[in-house]
Amino acid sequence: MRKNSWLQKVLYGVMAVLGAYIVYKSGALLAARNQVQKSVETGHVQQSVEDSAMRTWSLAYTAAVEGKKMAGWLSTWFGQVVPVLSYVAEEETVAEEETVAEEETVTEKETVMGESEEIYGASAEWSGEDENPTQNEPETETETEADDENVREVSVGTIFSQALPQLTDFSYLLANYYTVDEDTMADAKLIDAEKLLSMDLTIEQDSSVPQILIYHTHSQEAFADSEDGEVSDTVVGMGEILADELRSYGYNVIHDTGVYDLVDGVLDRSAAYEYAREAIEAILEEYPTIEVIIDLHRDGVEGDEEDFVTEIDGEATSKIMFFNGLSRNANGDVLSWLPNDYLTENLAFSLQLQVLAYAEYPGFTRKIYLQAERYNLHLRARSLLIEAGTQLNTVEEEKNAMAPIANLLWQILN
């Protein structure tokens, strides 16, 4: 009997200690009830812990109600309650550490801001200017622009890196990104996706000087519902819309509306590229700051209109096609009389735009067309020939294509 009494006293003592600890923790939990509630609402308290808590209190309740032996249920209860209390204690510790870290961060920011204010204040006093809260706004805008540029770089870079594993397979690249005319040949050395996508085609934007030139070798190209004699309904009118879109991004754009495919009032395209080349060379001599040249065309095709229209932002939009002249024949021999020192850059320009378009505007671009000759793409590193729409598209569909083209150009050039 004494042994049993002694054991009971020990057990009662243990229970008293645990009871005191539970009362203490209950008080602590009550004081931190807001944080506990937040943890529960956000899902930080896992179902396994809730189950463990349920098992803990149900065992104690069962023992009290059913009069089970103290030693049996107490050992089980003790094994369950410790993990629960340990978890709660750990959650409180983590929460306290996070709170301290946040307070330190806020303090550090306040210190930095204070130092910045002292610097700006000293600067204003030194220059003799009155304090003006708005005088730092341009700097804030510059920082925002820089952040936007970083986002764009990450976005374009990510798109390229995601596409590259497939594009290193030349067969896949050729089948999905190019149409090769029968009079020329393209090989893996010439169309090296890794090399072309890694080329830096950005330009340092300077709106004070012309940087982009748009012209039309075939100025008389019109659309399904173009009105006769209405220049705005032709590819020249589309060129002005594209120029305005690019100007909205801050570029200084020259739009050459010269006519190179009419001879004595009669349509004649036999020498149009030669006439255009002479005129463009003169423009480049006058404005050597031009770094991007776009020859905007409208394609002539066979087929149905629905094959050449897509939808962008809920609007019917003409599909477009990038075009490259390879200056080489069907045997792969370089056409020595049509040299192009910028061939690789031209190919990089069209491929980068194409990969970006596949990601940004699915269905907007047809495959890049590769043909044998040069098409005046040798005049600048960033020379581009675009077949925008076809004779089957409407003027409205064609107009809707200009904004996506400008956006793609802006992303690559920036």
Side-chain angles (χ1 to χ4, degrees), residues 5 91 148 165 210 234 314 322 326 337 394:
S5 298
E91 287 292 298
D148 290 342
T234 67
F322 302 119
L326 300 185
W337 61 93
T394 66

Side-chain angles (χ1 to χ4, degrees), residues 40-55:
V40 173
E41 291 175 353
T42 56
H44 290 165
V45 178
Q46 302 299 322
Q47 187 63 45
S48 60
V49 177
E50 294 174 358
D51 292 343
S52 180
M54 181 61 69
R55 288 195 300 272

Side-chain angles (χ1 to χ4, degrees), residues 284-387:
L284 295 178
E285 185 174 354
E286 183 177 358
Y287 302 105
T289 55
I290 291 175
E291 298 181 76
V292 181
I293 302 178
I294 301 170
D295 186 4
L296 187 65
H297 289 249
R298 180 232 68 196
D299 201 8
V301 299
E302 295 180 359
D304 299 321
E305 180 189 359
E306 55 265 26
D307 296 331
F308 302 98
V309 65
T310 187
E311 186 175 295
I312 296 178
D313 295 333
E315 297 186 340
T317 304
S318 298
K319 292 184 179 181
I320 69 169
M321 181 176 72
F322 302 119
F323 188 104
N324 284 104
L326 300 185
S327 296
R328 61 187 62 205
N329 61 25
N331 296 322
D333 300 325
V334 175
L335 305 180
S336 58
W337 61 93
L338 293 175
N340 183 357
D341 294 335
Y342 301 122
L343 176 58
T344 301
E345 289 85 350
N346 296 163
L347 290 168
F349 201 15
S350 61
L351 181 59
Q352 289 188 19
L353 288 164
Q354 184 81 343
V355 172
L356 183 60
Y358 276 8
E360 298 277 331
Y361 306 107
F364 178 49
T365 56
R366 297 153 60 194
K367 294 179 184 178
I368 301 171
Y369 200 89
L370 302 178
Q371 205 161 28
E373 298 185 19
R374 188 175 60 182
Y375 303 97
N376 290 332
L377 297 173
H378 66 296
L379 298 175
R380 281 291 186 271
R382 300 169 188 79
S383 291
L384 187 67
L385 195 159
I386 305 176
E387 296 280 4

Side-chain angles (χ1 to χ4, degrees), residues 72-366:
W73 72 262
L74 183 60
S75 60
T76 304
W77 179 77
F78 186 77
Q80 294 289 341
V81 75
V82 170
V84 176
L85 296 177
S86 298
Y87 174 81
V88 173
E90 181 180 352
E91 287 292 298
E92 288 182 349
T93 302
V94 171
E96 290 175 0
E97 291 176 352
E98 290 177 350
T99 302
V100 171
E102 290 176 1
E103 291 175 351
E104 291 178 350
T105 302
V106 171
T107 302
E108 183 178 349
K109 287 182 178 179
E110 291 175 348
T111 301
V112 172
M113 291 177 64
E115 292 176 351
S116 299
E117 290 174 359
E118 290 179 3
I119 292 173
Y120 288 131
S123 177
E125 183 178 353
W126 176 83
S127 62
E129 299 175 356
D130 294 333
E131 292 183 1
N132 184 357
T134 63
Q135 72 183 45
N136 293 327
E137 288 181 0
E139 182 172 349
T140 302
E141 292 175 0
T142 302
E143 292 173 355
T144 303
E145 291 173 0
D147 291 341
D148 290 342
E149 289 181 4
N150 290 334
V151 171
R152 289 197 300 272
E153 289 175 4
V154 170
S155 176
V156 174
T158 300
I159 290 171
F160 288 174
S161 63
Q162 290 175 344
L164 194 57
Q166 285 184 313
L167 301 188
T168 52
D169 180 347
F170 181 69
S171 298
Y172 176 88
L173 174 65
L174 210 60
N176 291 277
Y177 283 77
Y178 291 98
T179 297
V180 184
D181 192 89
E182 62 182 7
D183 65 357
T184 192
M185 186 184 76
D187 55 30
K189 183 178 180 180
L190 183 66
I191 312 294
D192 182 343
E194 185 172 4
K195 178 180 180 181
L196 298 181
L197 292 182
S198 66
M199 293 190 70
D200 183 5
L201 298 176
T202 60
I203 63 176
E204 186 175 346
Q205 194 168 348
D206 183 359
S207 60
S208 67
V209 294
Q211 289 186 292
I212 299 177
L213 169 65
I214 299 174
Y215 74 103
H216 313 274
T217 300
H218 298 157
S219 64
Q220 304 306 299
E221 292 172 333
F223 305 95
D225 57 348
S226 296
E227 294 185 16
D228 291 340
E230 186 62 51
V231 175
S232 63
D233 285 357
T234 67
V235 71
V236 176
M238 302 308 115
E240 186 57 32
I241 294 174
L242 178 59
D244 284 340
E245 290 286 346
L246 289 169
R247 288 169 187 143
S248 71
Y249 285 105
Y251 294 108
N252 186 327
V253 183
I254 291 180
H255 180 207
D256 172 48
T257 59
V259 176
Y260 308 113
D261 54 350
L262 285 179
V263 178
D264 297 329
V266 178
L267 184 65
D268 183 356
R269 293 176 175 167
S270 60
Y273 280 96
E274 182 178 349
Y275 297 148
R277 176 181 54 77
E278 293 173 354
I280 300 309
E281 285 178 337
I283 294 174
L284 295 178
E285 185 174 354
E286 183 177 358
Y287 302 105
T289 55
I290 291 175
E291 298 181 76
V292 181
I293 302 178
I294 301 170
D295 186 4
L296 187 65
H297 289 249
R298 180 232 68 196
D299 201 8
V301 299
E302 295 180 359
D304 299 321
E305 180 189 359
E306 55 265 26
D307 296 331
F308 302 98
V309 65
T310 187
E311 186 175 295
I312 296 178
D313 295 333
E315 297 186 340
T317 304
S318 298
K319 292 184 179 181
I320 69 169
M321 181 176 72
F322 302 119
F323 188 104
N324 284 104
L326 300 185
S327 296
R328 61 187 62 205
N329 61 25
N331 296 322
D333 300 325
V334 175
L335 305 180
S336 58
W337 61 93
L338 293 175
N340 183 357
D341 294 335
Y342 301 122
L343 176 58
T344 301
E345 289 85 350
N346 296 163
L347 290 168
F349 201 15
S350 61
L351 181 59
Q352 289 188 19
L353 288 164
Q354 184 81 343
V355 172
L356 183 60
Y358 276 8
E360 298 277 331
Y361 306 107
F364 178 49
T365 56
R366 297 153 60 194

